[in-house]
mmCIF file of all heavy atoms in Angstrom:
data_model
loop_
_atom_site.group_PDB
_atom_site.id
_atom_site.type_symbol
_atom_site.label_atom_id
_atom_site.label_comp_id
_atom_site.label_asym_id
_atom_site.label_seq_id
_atom_site.Cartn_x
_atom_site.Cartn_y
_atom_site.Cartn_z
ATOM 1 N N GLN A 32 -136.665 -110.204 -4.235
ATOM 2 C CA GLN A 32 -137.263 -111.491 -4.566
ATOM 3 C C GLN A 32 -137.298 -111.735 -6.068
ATOM 4 O O GLN A 32 -136.577 -112.519 -6.589
ATOM 5 C CB GLN A 32 -138.681 -111.553 -4.017
ATOM 6 C CG GLN A 32 -138.720 -111.614 -2.527
ATOM 7 C CD GLN A 32 -137.948 -112.797 -1.990
ATOM 8 O OE1 GLN A 32 -136.718 -112.833 -2.040
ATOM 9 N NE2 GLN A 32 -138.645 -113.759 -1.463
ATOM 10 N N ASP A 173 -142.673 -124.688 -15.424
ATOM 11 C CA ASP A 173 -142.133 -124.554 -14.076
ATOM 12 C C ASP A 173 -140.809 -125.314 -14.008
ATOM 13 O O ASP A 173 -140.750 -126.511 -14.236
ATOM 14 C CB ASP A 173 -143.130 -125.139 -13.071
ATOM 15 C CG ASP A 173 -142.712 -124.928 -11.631
ATOM 16 O OD1 ASP A 173 -141.492 -124.990 -11.365
ATOM 17 O OD2 ASP A 173 -143.587 -124.713 -10.795
ATOM 18 N N MET A 174 -139.755 -124.589 -13.695
ATOM 19 C CA MET A 174 -138.441 -125.217 -13.624
ATOM 20 C C MET A 174 -138.378 -126.168 -12.428
ATOM 21 O O MET A 174 -138.976 -125.927 -11.388
ATOM 22 C CB MET A 174 -137.349 -124.148 -13.486
ATOM 23 C CG MET A 174 -137.363 -123.086 -14.575
ATOM 24 S SD MET A 174 -137.063 -123.761 -16.209
ATOM 25 C CE MET A 174 -135.367 -124.270 -16.038
ATOM 26 N N ASP A 175 -137.607 -127.227 -12.570
ATOM 27 C CA ASP A 175 -137.506 -128.220 -11.504
ATOM 28 C C ASP A 175 -136.469 -127.804 -10.467
ATOM 29 O O ASP A 175 -135.329 -127.476 -10.818
ATOM 30 C CB ASP A 175 -137.115 -129.582 -12.095
ATOM 31 C CG ASP A 175 -138.129 -130.060 -13.133
ATOM 32 O OD1 ASP A 175 -139.333 -129.784 -12.939
ATOM 33 O OD2 ASP A 175 -137.714 -130.663 -14.123
ATOM 34 N N ALA A 176 -136.876 -127.838 -9.216
ATOM 35 C CA ALA A 176 -135.967 -127.519 -8.095
ATOM 36 C C ALA A 176 -135.046 -126.364 -8.464
ATOM 37 O O ALA A 176 -133.822 -126.486 -8.384
ATOM 38 C CB ALA A 176 -135.158 -128.756 -7.709
ATOM 39 N N PHE A 177 -135.624 -125.268 -8.821
ATOM 40 C CA PHE A 177 -134.910 -124.263 -9.592
ATOM 41 C C PHE A 177 -133.573 -123.822 -8.988
ATOM 42 O O PHE A 177 -132.521 -124.019 -9.603
ATOM 43 C CB PHE A 177 -135.803 -123.050 -9.823
ATOM 44 C CG PHE A 177 -135.200 -122.019 -10.714
ATOM 45 C CD1 PHE A 177 -134.718 -122.363 -11.967
ATOM 46 C CD2 PHE A 177 -135.100 -120.707 -10.294
ATOM 47 C CE1 PHE A 177 -134.155 -121.416 -12.802
ATOM 48 C CE2 PHE A 177 -134.540 -119.748 -11.124
ATOM 49 C CZ PHE A 177 -134.067 -120.100 -12.372
ATOM 50 N N TYR A 178 -133.595 -123.241 -7.805
ATOM 51 C CA TYR A 178 -132.337 -122.745 -7.235
ATOM 52 C C TYR A 178 -131.325 -123.882 -7.095
ATOM 53 O O TYR A 178 -130.132 -123.711 -7.367
ATOM 54 C CB TYR A 178 -132.569 -122.103 -5.860
ATOM 55 C CG TYR A 178 -133.422 -120.866 -5.867
ATOM 56 C CD1 TYR A 178 -133.772 -120.242 -4.675
ATOM 57 C CD2 TYR A 178 -133.869 -120.301 -7.057
ATOM 58 C CE1 TYR A 178 -134.564 -119.098 -4.667
ATOM 59 C CE2 TYR A 178 -134.660 -119.168 -7.057
ATOM 60 C CZ TYR A 178 -135.010 -118.579 -5.864
ATOM 61 O OH TYR A 178 -135.773 -117.456 -5.847
ATOM 62 N N ALA A 179 -131.794 -125.004 -6.653
ATOM 63 C CA ALA A 179 -130.889 -126.137 -6.448
ATOM 64 C C ALA A 179 -130.284 -126.586 -7.773
ATOM 65 O O ALA A 179 -129.089 -126.887 -7.853
ATOM 66 C CB ALA A 179 -131.633 -127.287 -5.783
ATOM 67 N N LEU A 202 -134.607 -122.901 4.518
ATOM 68 C CA LEU A 202 -134.245 -123.403 3.193
ATOM 69 C C LEU A 202 -135.266 -122.921 2.160
ATOM 70 O O LEU A 202 -136.463 -122.891 2.437
ATOM 71 C CB LEU A 202 -134.217 -124.934 3.193
ATOM 72 C CG LEU A 202 -133.271 -125.585 4.201
ATOM 73 C CD1 LEU A 202 -133.384 -127.113 4.117
ATOM 74 C CD2 LEU A 202 -131.839 -125.131 3.974
ATOM 75 N N CYS A 203 -134.765 -122.563 1.006
ATOM 76 C CA CYS A 203 -135.662 -122.104 -0.050
ATOM 77 C C CYS A 203 -136.098 -123.258 -0.944
ATOM 78 O O CYS A 203 -137.221 -123.280 -1.433
ATOM 79 C CB CYS A 203 -134.990 -121.028 -0.888
ATOM 80 S SG CYS A 203 -134.959 -119.433 -0.053
ATOM 81 N N THR A 204 -135.215 -124.185 -1.163
ATOM 82 C CA THR A 204 -135.588 -125.379 -1.931
ATOM 83 C C THR A 204 -134.524 -126.444 -1.732
ATOM 84 O O THR A 204 -133.515 -126.214 -1.075
ATOM 85 C CB THR A 204 -135.765 -125.071 -3.429
ATOM 86 O OG1 THR A 204 -136.397 -126.167 -4.068
ATOM 87 C CG2 THR A 204 -134.409 -124.801 -4.080
ATOM 88 N N SER A 205 -134.741 -127.602 -2.320
ATOM 89 C CA SER A 205 -133.792 -128.701 -2.175
ATOM 90 C C SER A 205 -133.789 -129.510 -3.460
ATOM 91 O O SER A 205 -134.731 -129.437 -4.248
ATOM 92 C CB SER A 205 -134.220 -129.606 -0.998
ATOM 93 O OG SER A 205 -135.528 -130.091 -1.213
ATOM 94 N N TYR A 207 -133.775 -133.174 -5.581
ATOM 95 C CA TYR A 207 -134.713 -134.280 -5.397
ATOM 96 C C TYR A 207 -134.155 -135.386 -4.514
ATOM 97 O O TYR A 207 -134.912 -136.154 -3.911
ATOM 98 C CB TYR A 207 -135.167 -134.810 -6.769
ATOM 99 C CG TYR A 207 -136.288 -133.972 -7.336
ATOM 100 C CD1 TYR A 207 -136.046 -132.726 -7.886
ATOM 101 C CD2 TYR A 207 -137.607 -134.406 -7.277
ATOM 102 C CE1 TYR A 207 -137.074 -131.935 -8.382
ATOM 103 C CE2 TYR A 207 -138.640 -133.634 -7.770
ATOM 104 C CZ TYR A 207 -138.361 -132.401 -8.315
ATOM 105 O OH TYR A 207 -139.389 -131.616 -8.795
ATOM 106 N N ARG A 210 -135.119 -134.340 -1.149
ATOM 107 C CA ARG A 210 -136.567 -134.461 -0.937
ATOM 108 C C ARG A 210 -136.948 -135.877 -0.541
ATOM 109 O O ARG A 210 -137.945 -136.097 0.133
ATOM 110 C CB ARG A 210 -137.321 -134.056 -2.210
ATOM 111 C CG ARG A 210 -137.191 -132.569 -2.496
ATOM 112 C CD ARG A 210 -138.030 -132.116 -3.668
ATOM 113 N NE ARG A 210 -137.582 -130.796 -4.116
ATOM 114 C CZ ARG A 210 -138.242 -130.029 -4.968
ATOM 115 N NH1 ARG A 210 -139.384 -130.464 -5.487
ATOM 116 N NH2 ARG A 210 -137.773 -128.851 -5.315
ATOM 117 N N SER A 216 -138.825 -127.112 0.592
ATOM 118 C CA SER A 216 -138.920 -125.652 0.677
ATOM 119 C C SER A 216 -139.602 -125.246 1.978
ATOM 120 O O SER A 216 -140.546 -125.892 2.417
ATOM 121 C CB SER A 216 -139.735 -125.104 -0.492
ATOM 122 O OG SER A 216 -139.241 -125.568 -1.717
ATOM 123 N N GLY A 217 -139.098 -124.180 2.557
ATOM 124 C CA GLY A 217 -139.745 -123.647 3.739
ATOM 125 C C GLY A 217 -139.409 -124.374 5.018
ATOM 126 O O GLY A 217 -139.969 -124.081 6.067
ATOM 127 N N SER A 262 -142.795 -115.885 -11.595
ATOM 128 C CA SER A 262 -141.655 -115.802 -10.687
ATOM 129 C C SER A 262 -140.430 -116.082 -11.530
ATOM 130 O O SER A 262 -140.528 -116.218 -12.746
ATOM 131 C CB SER A 262 -141.782 -116.819 -9.548
ATOM 132 O OG SER A 262 -141.660 -118.127 -10.055
ATOM 133 N N ASP A 264 -138.893 -118.718 -11.894
ATOM 134 C CA ASP A 264 -138.847 -120.073 -12.473
ATOM 135 C C ASP A 264 -140.174 -120.531 -13.052
ATOM 136 O O ASP A 264 -140.360 -121.715 -13.328
ATOM 137 C CB ASP A 264 -138.368 -121.077 -11.419
ATOM 138 C CG ASP A 264 -139.518 -121.667 -10.633
ATOM 139 O OD1 ASP A 264 -140.401 -120.894 -10.235
ATOM 140 O OD2 ASP A 264 -139.525 -122.887 -10.428
ATOM 141 N N GLU A 265 -141.101 -119.643 -13.252
ATOM 142 C CA GLU A 265 -142.445 -120.057 -13.615
ATOM 143 C C GLU A 265 -143.066 -119.071 -14.580
ATOM 144 O O GLU A 265 -142.863 -117.866 -14.456
ATOM 145 C CB GLU A 265 -143.296 -120.072 -12.346
ATOM 146 C CG GLU A 265 -144.079 -121.324 -12.136
ATOM 147 C CD GLU A 265 -144.911 -121.201 -10.882
ATOM 148 O OE1 GLU A 265 -144.322 -121.326 -9.801
ATOM 149 O OE2 GLU A 265 -146.116 -120.952 -11.004
ATOM 150 N N ASP A 316 -147.738 -130.074 -12.537
ATOM 151 C CA ASP A 316 -147.214 -130.742 -11.345
ATOM 152 C C ASP A 316 -147.317 -132.260 -11.451
ATOM 153 O O ASP A 316 -146.732 -132.978 -10.651
ATOM 154 C CB ASP A 316 -147.995 -130.248 -10.115
ATOM 155 C CG ASP A 316 -147.287 -130.599 -8.828
ATOM 156 O OD1 ASP A 316 -146.091 -130.270 -8.729
ATOM 157 O OD2 ASP A 316 -147.915 -131.216 -7.954
ATOM 158 N N LYS A 319 -143.961 -134.118 -12.543
ATOM 159 C CA LYS A 319 -143.090 -133.045 -12.142
ATOM 160 C C LYS A 319 -141.631 -133.122 -12.525
ATOM 161 O O LYS A 319 -141.185 -132.289 -13.281
ATOM 162 C CB LYS A 319 -143.230 -132.785 -10.647
ATOM 163 C CG LYS A 319 -142.447 -131.579 -10.161
ATOM 164 C CD LYS A 319 -142.714 -130.353 -11.033
ATOM 165 C CE LYS A 319 -141.999 -129.136 -10.522
ATOM 166 N NZ LYS A 319 -141.584 -128.255 -11.632
ATOM 167 P P DG B 13 -146.823 -121.689 -6.185
ATOM 168 O OP1 DG B 13 -147.359 -122.235 -7.432
ATOM 169 O OP2 DG B 13 -146.525 -122.566 -5.040
ATOM 170 O "O5'" DG B 13 -145.486 -120.908 -6.511
ATOM 171 C "C5'" DG B 13 -145.514 -119.543 -6.844
ATOM 172 C "C4'" DG B 13 -144.112 -118.997 -6.693
ATOM 173 O "O4'" DG B 13 -144.012 -118.337 -5.396
ATOM 174 C "C3'" DG B 13 -143.023 -120.066 -6.708
ATOM 175 O "O3'" DG B 13 -141.899 -119.596 -7.450
ATOM 176 C "C2'" DG B 13 -142.652 -120.254 -5.246
ATOM 177 C "C1'" DG B 13 -142.885 -118.856 -4.693
ATOM 178 N N9 DG B 13 -143.183 -118.885 -3.272
ATOM 179 C C8 DG B 13 -144.000 -119.761 -2.603
ATOM 180 N N7 DG B 13 -144.064 -119.535 -1.320
ATOM 181 C C5 DG B 13 -143.237 -118.445 -1.120
ATOM 182 C C6 DG B 13 -142.905 -117.747 0.061
ATOM 183 O O6 DG B 13 -143.285 -117.967 1.215
ATOM 184 N N1 DG B 13 -142.025 -116.703 -0.173
ATOM 185 C C2 DG B 13 -141.528 -116.371 -1.415
ATOM 186 N N2 DG B 13 -140.694 -115.333 -1.451
ATOM 187 N N3 DG B 13 -141.834 -117.008 -2.530
ATOM 188 C C4 DG B 13 -142.689 -118.035 -2.315
ATOM 189 P P DA C 5 -138.428 -117.257 10.194
ATOM 190 O OP1 DA C 5 -137.910 -116.370 11.252
ATOM 191 O OP2 DA C 5 -139.865 -117.311 9.915
ATOM 192 O "O5'" DA C 5 -137.679 -116.897 8.843
ATOM 193 C "C5'" DA C 5 -136.245 -116.915 8.808
ATOM 194 C "C4'" DA C 5 -135.765 -116.139 7.600
ATOM 195 O "O4'" DA C 5 -136.119 -116.882 6.402
ATOM 196 C "C3'" DA C 5 -136.422 -114.776 7.471
ATOM 197 O "O3'" DA C 5 -135.472 -113.857 6.960
ATOM 198 C "C2'" DA C 5 -137.569 -115.020 6.508
ATOM 199 C "C1'" DA C 5 -137.037 -116.134 5.613
ATOM 200 N N9 DA C 5 -138.054 -117.057 5.143
ATOM 201 C C8 DA C 5 -138.984 -117.725 5.887
ATOM 202 N N7 DA C 5 -139.769 -118.510 5.179
ATOM 203 C C5 DA C 5 -139.312 -118.348 3.878
ATOM 204 C C6 DA C 5 -139.731 -118.911 2.660
ATOM 205 N N6 DA C 5 -140.720 -119.787 2.559
ATOM 206 N N1 DA C 5 -139.067 -118.534 1.547
ATOM 207 C C2 DA C 5 -138.060 -117.658 1.661
ATOM 208 N N3 DA C 5 -137.574 -117.064 2.750
ATOM 209 C C4 DA C 5 -138.255 -117.461 3.837
HETATM 210 C C1 TTP D 701 -141.873 -122.534 -2.233
HETATM 211 C C2 TTP D 701 -140.753 -121.526 -2.154
HETATM 212 C C3 TTP D 701 -139.898 -121.335 -3.229
HETATM 213 N N1 TTP D 701 -138.862 -120.439 -3.160
HETATM 214 C C4 TTP D 701 -137.938 -120.275 -4.317
HETATM 215 C C5 TTP D 701 -136.958 -121.423 -4.404
HETATM 216 C C6 TTP D 701 -137.446 -122.263 -5.536
HETATM 217 O O1 TTP D 701 -136.394 -122.905 -6.234
HETATM 218 C C7 TTP D 701 -138.138 -121.269 -6.404
HETATM 219 C C8 TTP D 701 -139.253 -121.892 -7.217
HETATM 220 O O2 TTP D 701 -140.234 -122.416 -6.370
HETATM 221 P P1 TTP D 701 -141.011 -123.776 -6.703
HETATM 222 O O3 TTP D 701 -141.278 -123.845 -8.165
HETATM 223 O O4 TTP D 701 -142.212 -123.822 -5.818
HETATM 224 O O5 TTP D 701 -140.064 -124.964 -6.255
HETATM 225 P P2 TTP D 701 -138.832 -125.590 -7.048
HETATM 226 O O6 TTP D 701 -138.712 -125.046 -8.411
HETATM 227 O O7 TTP D 701 -137.609 -125.408 -6.212
HETATM 228 O O8 TTP D 701 -139.162 -127.142 -7.086
HETATM 229 P P3 TTP D 701 -140.231 -127.862 -8.012
HETATM 230 O O9 TTP D 701 -140.855 -126.816 -8.888
HETATM 231 O O10 TTP D 701 -139.477 -128.873 -8.798
HETATM 232 O O11 TTP D 701 -141.228 -128.491 -7.091
HETATM 233 O O12 TTP D 701 -138.675 -120.281 -5.533
HETATM 234 C C9 TTP D 701 -138.651 -119.715 -1.995
HETATM 235 O O13 TTP D 701 -137.742 -118.920 -1.926
HETATM 236 N N2 TTP D 701 -139.501 -119.888 -0.929
HETATM 237 C C10 TTP D 701 -140.539 -120.772 -0.949
HETATM 238 O O14 TTP D 701 -141.273 -120.908 0.047
#
Side-chain angles (χ1 to χ4, degrees):
Chain A
Q32 291 303 71
D173 185 324
M174 305 297 293
D175 301 325
F177 185 53
Y178 295 176
L202 302 178
C203 283
T204 193
S205 58
Y207 277 76
R210 292 185 196 192
S216 307
S262 68
D264 90 316
E265 230 182 284
D316 195 52
K319 186 50 177 147

